[in-house]
Amino acid sequence: MTTSTPPLREAARAIVLDEDDRVLLLRYDENGGFWATPGGSLEDGEDHATATLRELREELGIDEKAVELGVQLAERSKDHLVGGREVRQVERYFLTRVSPGDVDPARATQPDNIREYRWWTQDELRSTSETVYPRGLADLVAAVTEGRTPTEPVVLAG
């Protein structure tokens, strides 16, 4: 029996922190509801940093001039359905800093299925019973805010 690997779908995601080290998450209703970091798949010829900035503009109306784009903090691979077709999504997560005032969903050009956005404190992130992706986000945010930014991207679980 042979199994085939689903086609690769590369994605860029932003771990968005504000000046108070709160993290910005987006809520989606599908799959029972969950919160996730902003981001999405790369377009043809696009690198991960450029895709991160584009996704922030499309999903949250953030002007790229207002974004302080940092290092790649993590990566994650996950097989899931996109448009009814299974893909292996490989995501790179970039540290991103913005001011809450720079988030303007009214300027978003592709809000997808985002139901709301919210700034989470680290305590809220650790204590929530809601589903948050990626798993391990709370520990990663804590490390960054304590000055322990990883020197190599951390591999996060599905």
Side-chain angles (χ1 to χ4, degrees), residues 49-118:
T50 303
T52 302
L53 294 172
R54 176 184 50 74
E55 288 289 338
L56 289 170
R57 182 181 64 252
E58 289 178 355
E59 293 181 345
L60 293 162
I62 301 173
D63 185 320
E64 69 181 54
K65 293 181 211 94
V67 176
E68 180 186 325
L69 186 63
V71 298
Q72 180 186 344
L73 294 175
E75 61 185 51
R76 171 179 95 138
S77 295
K78 182 170 178 61
D79 292 357
H80 68 102
L81 293 176
V82 174
R85 187 174 141 228
E86 187 167 1
V87 298
R88 169 155 296 154
Q89 183 153 306
V90 177
E91 302 170 332
R92 293 186 188 181
Y93 290 80
F94 289 85
L95 176 60
T96 310
R97 293 213 176 249
V98 302
S99 168
D102 292 319
V103 177
D104 185 0
R107 289 192 314 237
T109 58
Q110 292 184 13
D112 300 325
N113 296 322
I114 298 166
R115 294 297 169 230
E116 67 179 295
Y117 74 93
R118 179 177 148 203

Side-chain angles (χ1 to χ4, degrees), residues 1-6 79 86 88:
M1 179 175 132
T2 61
T3 58
S4 62
T5 302
D79 292 357
E86 187 167 1
R88 169 155 296 154

